[in-house]
Amino acid sequence: MPFSATLFRTLRKRTGLTQAEFGKRVGLTGGAISLYEKGNAPPSDKLASIARELGVTVDELLVGETFSQEPIQTLAGSAKSARPNIAELYTQVPFLSIRAQAGLPQIDYNDGVMNWVEETYPVFLPLVPINEKHLVIEIQGDSMEPEIKSGAVVLGQAITKDDIKYESGGVYAIIYGNNRFVVKRIKTNDLMTTGSLILWSDNEKYGQIVVPASELHCMWKITHKVNEHVR
């Protein structure tokens, strides 16, 4: 499982230590801590020391593990004595895995609210209010590389059917036609002029898809990468 840079940054700030101060405690420079918090490099050889200094386990710093449910203990004067409750930092969001994408049911998708999805995925995005309109999506194939790699996990927010005609300039997950599911880019939205929507692949060898307005079922705008495999 990959190192969670966002979680590391949040927990480090909870200690009250600067990047330089925290780095000194685990045998690193403040610059190295900054790189880790930006997700530019994984601290593989220092992960155990970092987890110990934060008062968590190594597994709790890795996305997708089972997080501690131990209650927070408040002890005045010692930030180190209060064990973070990692579970409270995560929200379980409906997860549309590659397997689930292959067997979408014939239903009314109700503007992207996926109440029938059984799987969930833990999302740590403290600055983003998660609601029933959000969906975590597993990416299959390389049609959106280099921006989004195959196997990446992304967060999408549902677009209402009335607003689909206004969406452009981003990456979207779309169900259309006979329940076909794709993740593509919308460069310009011509639904109100031509009655069709052009979906583009970032990987040039895959070209584009033209979808009539009548075949569009629902759409999510991809807003964040939750997890991405390193190659």
Side-chain angles (χ1 to χ4, degrees), residues 29-102:
T29 65
I33 298 300
S34 177
L35 286 175
Y36 299 153
E37 291 186 356
K38 292 177 181 177
N40 292 341
S44 54
D45 58 337
K46 291 290 185 179
L47 196 54
S49 298
I50 289 173
R52 184 164 54 249
E53 189 64 31
L54 293 173
V56 299
T57 68
V58 170
D59 283 350
E60 287 172 328
L61 283 177
L62 302 180
V63 176
E65 295 296 327
T66 300
F67 307 110
S68 171
Q69 297 289 340
E70 297 180 23
I72 297 176
Q73 298 181 12
T74 304
L75 299 176
S78 175
K80 287 283 293 172
S81 63
R83 176 176 174 76
N85 188 349
I86 305 296
E88 292 184 351
L89 301 180
Y90 285 79
T91 301
Q92 294 292 332
V93 181
F95 178 44
L96 196 62
S97 64
I98 291 173
R99 178 173 56 83
Q101 293 168 29

Side-chain angles (χ1 to χ4, degrees), residues 12-13 26 38 48 58-59 62 80 87-88 97 106 108 127 132 150-151 162 164 182 191-192 205 211 213-214 227 229:
R12 192 271 304 167
K13 288 182 177 180
V26 297
K38 292 177 181 177
V58 170
D59 283 350
L62 302 180
K80 287 283 293 172
E88 292 184 351
S97 64
Q106 295 286 346
D108 180 359
L127 300 181
E132 71 278 0
S150 180
D162 289 340
I164 288 178
V182 295
L191 281 174
M192 289 189 288
K205 72 179 183 180
V211 181
S214 60
N227 185 3
H229 297 296

